[in-house]
Amino acid sequence: MWSRRELKRTSRGIMKKHYWRVIAICFVVSFLAGSNNDTFSAVFSYDSSKEVIDTVQENTVFDINDIREKKPLDYLLEKFEKRSEEEQEVIERSPYKEGVFSAIFNRTVATGSVFSGMIALFLEPILEGAWLSLISAAVGVALLFFWWLLVRNIIQVGSCRFFLEAHTYKDTKGNRLFFLYKIGRMWRVALIMLRKFLYQWLWSLTIIGGWVKGYSYLMVPYLAAENPNLKGREAIRVSRKMMKGNKWRAFLLDCSFLGWHLLSFLTLGLVDIFYANAYKAGARAGLYLALREQALAEGAAYCHVFTDAYLTCPPQEEELRAAFEREAVLAEGSDWKAQRERAREAELDVFEEYPAVLFTVPEELRIKRPGINYHCKYGITGIVLLFFIFSFAGWCWEVGLHLVQSGEFVNRGVFYGPWLPIYGSGGVLVLVLLKKLRDRPVATFFMTVLICGVVEYGTSFALEQMYGIRWWDYSGYFLQLNGRICAEGLLVFGLGGCAFIYILAPLIMETGIKRLSMKVRILLCVLLMALFAADFWYSRETPNSGEGISGQSEELFWADGSLEAPTGGTIGTGDCPLTCWKR
């Protein structure tokens, strides 16, 4: 028989071993899945199910007398016409006027919904007024439902899986939060959680049925975390049997955390964030394991649903080593023999991490991926050629973007040639500096954002000091720093840099550059570097500027290189105001 004291003691042990990891897991679950929202008040927490209900009520609850007097469609359009005007007023009052992020932020604030705001932004070029507000609200509700179904529920079950494994293993990884996406059981588990929600919602229409059934169905996400192949009806049936005679004791277990939640209320949710949420999640996972152990000991009729033998009992070392060898053979890679030998010789600690290779559902689906080796070697000539390729790609991006926005072809950048060195420099730097992080894509993304941010900020500062002009200015963009960098641009650079590291650079190297002879590569490098040096020397004295480039016309430059203050403004260096183009 389980006890509250033992469950809480075990939960504290988990937090002691993985404090920051469990805190991060609970933070992500609270932020994306809306769990623990009752006390998570220190920071913004997103509850998709609450937003679905609020959005539906806001857009569908009408005055019955008004509907009788008017046709439903006319009344609906009139209602959304007023709403559209209110949204436009909110957007006009916003201090953020530039960039995609600013537009998304403004629309989200105006509509009160992340998804409705994004849909309105996409539909704005073709719709306006009531129809824009109406369709964006309808599509937004649909997207909110799928977010709740396929993101919130899946992450909630993933967090249950994380805490179940953390009870037995010493180094449970945070990516277990998303394991259902990896094993291809997202839809099956989503349907389990949908059935649980519908049952509990119907019971909530009674006086206390919703509260009682909340504890009856408490084990459903844990059952889905252990056995994703379950059907919804069976998961609910087994949960009810497991909780029979335990609902009141589970309620008392939750009540034992009231002191922590009261303390969290007094600290604006900080205690929940940094302790209580993880403490409670660990105890609830321990409750499932205790009830599971009790059912197995008693030989309950539903024990067949407990299919994961390694959840509480690590495998033997020989068994785990054989599984790793089998994985190396099944991978069908070119170096599978070397991988098999490493698996045979590697030191194994069966308590270190859950053996995903022995899970009842394969950890990774066998998907044929393109043969791109992002660990390929580039060499000096490869790096130089990739610098110019990426510089040219950046030039095409900037020129094409301005062409779409203004309908005019403008040679963008400080130089006159078809290249923007800031793109080439950023691409080469992330390729060289992040070599050791290539097997960690998340870390690679954030480091790419950091490197590109430093390069862009430094380049903007250096150009301003040299010429007294800014070739770009992000003032008015959402989340910007001194007009030199902004979150929107850094996000694009981060994604583009990852695409460059993992796809473009190795693909170009393997299918293009390596097929050229060394003499041809050296000749191309010398030719391109000579042209670039000539362009650099000429642009140093007479930089490329003007309308659509830097916001300054060529006439502002005197023969000696000094600048004349234009009408209605000034231009110069140091603390003088700058007239610069805002892209």
Side-chain angles (χ1 to χ4, degrees), residues 199-217 247:
Y199 280 27
Q200 193 166 339
W201 177 76
L202 290 173
W203 276 107
S204 68
L205 300 178
T206 62
I207 298 176
I208 61 170
W211 177 82
V212 173
K213 291 301 178 181
Y215 283 97
S216 291
Y217 306 151
K247 291 188 286 293

Side-chain angles (χ1 to χ4, degrees), residues 91 101 140 187 189 197 214 225 359 373 412 414:
I91 294 173
F101 275 18
W187 281 102
V189 172
F197 170 79
F359 190 42
N373 178 23
R412 302 297 305 282
V414 183

Side-chain angles (χ1 to χ4, degrees), residues 313-447:
C313 182
Q316 297 295 321
E317 184 175 334
E318 296 76 11
E319 185 181 10
L320 183 58
R321 194 180 302 277
F324 281 131
E325 292 181 26
R326 185 169 60 252
E327 278 290 296
V329 174
L330 293 176
E332 300 179 353
S334 57
D335 60 340
W336 66 270
K337 292 184 178 180
Q339 292 182 18
R340 185 180 63 180
E341 290 301 319
R342 286 196 296 269
R344 287 177 178 175
E345 299 173 0
E347 295 183 4
L348 298 178
D349 181 358
V350 295
F351 286 94
E352 183 71 16
E353 187 178 355
Y354 176 85
V357 294
L358 294 174
F359 190 42
T360 52
V361 179
E363 175 68 17
E364 298 287 350
L365 298 179
R366 299 299 174 188
I367 301 174
K368 295 293 182 180
R369 295 181 173 87
I372 299 177
N373 178 23
Y374 53 82
H375 284 291
C376 69
K377 297 181 179 179
Y378 296 98
I380 296 177
T381 56
I383 292 294
V384 172
L385 292 176
L386 286 172
F387 166 82
F388 284 104
I389 290 172
F390 211 45
S391 296
F392 175 72
W395 180 84
C396 292
W397 165 261
E398 292 281 354
V399 170
L401 189 63
H402 189 272
L403 183 64
V404 170
Q405 291 177 340
S406 64
E408 297 179 355
F409 175 84
V410 176
N411 182 20
R412 302 297 305 282
V414 183
F415 294 85
Y416 290 89
W419 42 49
L420 289 176
I422 189 173
Y423 285 87
S425 301
V428 168
L429 283 174
V430 299
L431 200 62
V432 174
L433 298 180
L434 304 183
K435 182 179 180 180
K436 295 183 178 180
L437 292 179
R438 290 179 192 172
D439 289 325
R440 300 166 59 188
V442 175
T444 298
F445 170 78
F446 285 108
M447 289 302 298

Side-chain angles (χ1 to χ4, degrees), residues 39-43 261-273:
T39 55
F40 197 42
S41 56
V43 296
H261 293 317
L262 177 59
L263 186 59
S264 181
F265 175 78
L266 297 176
T267 59
L268 299 179
L270 292 177
V271 170
D272 272 352
I273 296 172

